[in-house]
Amino acid sequence: QVQLTESGGGSVQPGGSLRLSCAASGYVNCMGWFRQAPGKEREAVAIFYKGDGSRFYHDSVKGRFTISHDNAKNAVYLQMNSLKPEDSAMYLCAAAGTRPRCQKGIVDYWGQGTQIAVSS
C-alpha cells in the first residue's frame, strides 16, 4: 500500500498564491491533485504522468496552476497562482500504480486532503 503525504494549503486572498506538496511512499505511475468543494463533484485539477512526462490540467486552472515532479523525492508539487474564490475546496493528492490505470483515470491511492480557502 502506497501512502501519500501532503503538505501546504491554507487561506489566501484572491490573487494570491499557494503551493501544495505530495510525496509517495512507493512507486506510482501518475500523481496529481483532485479537489472537492461542498455540494460539488470531485474533479481532477492537475495530473503528472511519469511515463511520458505529460500533464493534465482542468480547464479552469490552465495558465494559473503548474504541476511539477521531483523524481528523486517521488513527489509532486502544485503551484497555484492567481487564486480565485472558486478555487476554494478540499484538495486531495491522488495516484495510480500503473500506466493503464492512469490512462483510465483510476485512482489507487488518496492523500488525507488539505483545505484551500480563497477569500477577502
Side-chain angles (χ1 to χ4, degrees):
Q1 184 75 6
V2 173
Q3 304 293 326
L4 302 179
T5 303
E6 303 165 352
S7 62
S11 298
V12 67
Q13 293 186 340
S17 298
L18 286 172
R19 185 174 185 253
L20 303 180
S21 301
C22 177
S25 64
Y27 176 80
V28 292
N29 191 263
C30 60
M31 292 178 69
W33 299 89
F34 283 67
R35 68 184 179 188
Q36 187 165 21
K40 294 187 177 181
E41 291 188 358
R42 187 171 294 183
E43 60 186 13
V45 177
I47 307 293
F48 177 84
Y49 298 90
K50 287 187 178 182
D52 59 6
S54 61
R55 293 160 170 83
F56 161 85
Y57 292 102
H58 192 278
D59 283 346
S60 67
V61 307
K62 287 180 180 177
R64 300 188 297 121
F65 291 12
T66 302
I67 188 168
S68 59
H69 177 255
D70 186 328
N71 195 53
K73 296 182 178 180
N74 202 20
V76 289
Y77 307 94
L78 186 66
Q79 179 64 42
M80 303 182 290
N81 298 329
S82 302
L83 282 160
K84 304 175 181 180
E86 52 264 43
D87 293 318
S88 299
M90 177 69 75
Y91 282 69
L92 301 108
C93 184
T98 67
R99 180 181 177 88
R101 294 179 73 79
C102 288
Q103 291 176 327
K104 293 177 182 178
I106 297 171
V107 176
D108 292 320
Y109 313 107
W110 290 99
Q112 77 278 9
T114 185
Q115 190 71 40
I116 301 293
V118 185
S119 68
S120 54

